[in-house]
Structure formats: structure tokens, C-alpha cells
Amino acid sequence: MKSAKFTEKKYLVVLAFVISLFFFWAIALTMGDVLNKHFQNVLHISKSKSGLVQLSIFGAYALMGIPAGLFMKKFGYKMGVILGLTLFAGGCFLFVPASNMASFDFFRFALFILALGMATLETVAHPFVASLGDERTSDQRVNFAQSFNGLGAIVERFTGRFLYFWRSWRRQFFGFR
């Protein structure tokens, strides 16, 4: 019996794109912890109130899983990814007015919309990766893609720290905010 390939050449670009989603949503998800501390310092909120950041993120996951699956079933993987990216981008863009207003509730709303996109992407990405090749190697593709989720979480720790120190350094030496 001939062994199955990991994936076919025609799927490599799509597979790389979908795997990058695993990496980037891990960065966004773990950035919530960094934001939590900054909200406490900048917006002068209590630690207990800043816990609502996690509720906003994981509440969106709880609410969006089934609707995202139904959407994907009706419209397909491609439209599911587009919906997820649209929600994700919308949440990111909402950070601009939230920061201008310095409103914790607006930030939580932006995080909620962003997390709706992440939940949609996560719901769509797993079966999408599994479908990109021979069924006998689908578990290998899913596990490989999920490993980038862990890598993204590690990279975020260094990225978040760098951005925080960059902001402090810039303010100290140049007076920028």
C-alpha cells in the first residue's frame, strides 16, 4: 500500500495561509493578558474589573462556535475564513475610536468583536486544514497547524514585552506617548 502524502502541491499556498491563521490568532488571544495590565494602569480600573477582558474574549468564543459552524456548513470554508477575518479586522479597527475615547467598555466591545472573528476562524480552520489533502493524513495536518498556535503564544510574549518597552523607551527619550 502506498503511503499518503502530507498534502498535495496544489494545496500548499492555501495550507500555508490557513496555518498562518493559527499563528496569528494565538498572538491576538494571548495579547489579552498584556492588555489587561495596561487597562489597569492607563484606564485606572481595578484588577477585578479588568477580568472582564477575559469574559469579553471567551464569551465571544462561547457564543460564536455553533453559529460559525452553521455558517461554514452553508457557505463553505472560504466564506467562513472571510467572515472570520472581517470580524477580526473590524474588532482591530474599533481599537482606534476606543483609544481616542479611553473607554474600557468600548475596548471590551472591540475585543468581543475581534474574538468573534477568532472563534469563527478557529471553527473554520480545523476542518479546512483537514480537508487539504488525503484523508489518511488529515490528523497530521491539523496537529502541524495547531503547533503554530503554541508558537504564536510564545512569540506574543516577546512581542508584547518589546512593544511595552518600546513605548516606555520612546516616552523617556523623546517625550512621545
Side-chain angles (χ1 to χ4, degrees):
M1 180 179 228
K2 187 176 158 185
S3 65
K5 289 182 176 181
F6 183 73
T7 192
E8 297 173 35
K9 192 174 184 176
K10 66 182 179 180
Y11 295 132
L12 285 176
V13 172
V14 175
L15 183 64
F17 172 73
V18 178
I19 287 173
S20 73
L21 295 177
F22 282 82
F23 178 78
F24 289 118
W25 85 58
I27 289 174
L29 185 61
T30 54
M31 191 67 78
D33 296 333
V34 173
L35 288 174
N36 218 343
K37 183 65 177 159
H38 289 293
F39 288 150
Q40 291 171 28
N41 294 338
V42 175
L43 300 176
H44 310 291
I45 60 171
S46 67
K47 286 184 180 183
S48 60
K49 190 171 180 181
S50 74
L52 294 172
V53 167
Q54 300 299 332
L55 178 65
S56 299
I57 293 170
F58 292 107
Y61 266 79
L63 290 175
M64 194 59 175
I66 292 172
L70 294 172
F71 183 89
M72 176 188 60
K73 189 173 183 171
K74 183 171 183 171
F75 297 106
Y77 297 127
K78 180 181 175 183
M79 290 306 294
V81 169
I82 290 171
L83 173 64
L85 289 174
T86 301
L87 288 167
F88 190 93
C92 289
F93 285 124
L94 286 173
F95 269 67
V96 174
S99 66
N100 288 338
M101 293 173 60
S103 167
F104 179 64
D105 291 330
F106 202 159
F107 274 115
R108 284 188 47 230
F109 176 71
L111 282 169
F112 181 77
I113 300 300
L114 185 140
L116 288 175
M118 289 190 302
T120 302
L121 289 171
E122 199 159 344
T123 302
V124 172
H126 287 86
F128 193 12
V129 165
S131 72
L132 294 174
D134 192 309
E135 186 178 317
R136 294 175 289 175
T137 58
S138 64
D139 58 335
Q140 293 173 13
R141 283 188 301 281
V142 171
N143 287 334
F144 180 70
Q146 287 174 337
S147 69
F148 283 84
N149 204 273
L151 181 62
I154 292 167
V155 166
E156 185 281 327
R157 292 298 171 200
F158 294 112
T159 306
R161 192 170 292 153
F162 171 77
L163 292 175
Y164 177 73
F165 287 127
W166 169 252
R167 182 173 173 242
S168 299
W169 180 80
R170 199 175 60 167
R171 186 177 332 137
Q172 181 180 359
F173 290 104
F174 297 110
F176 295 136
R177 289 191 156 230

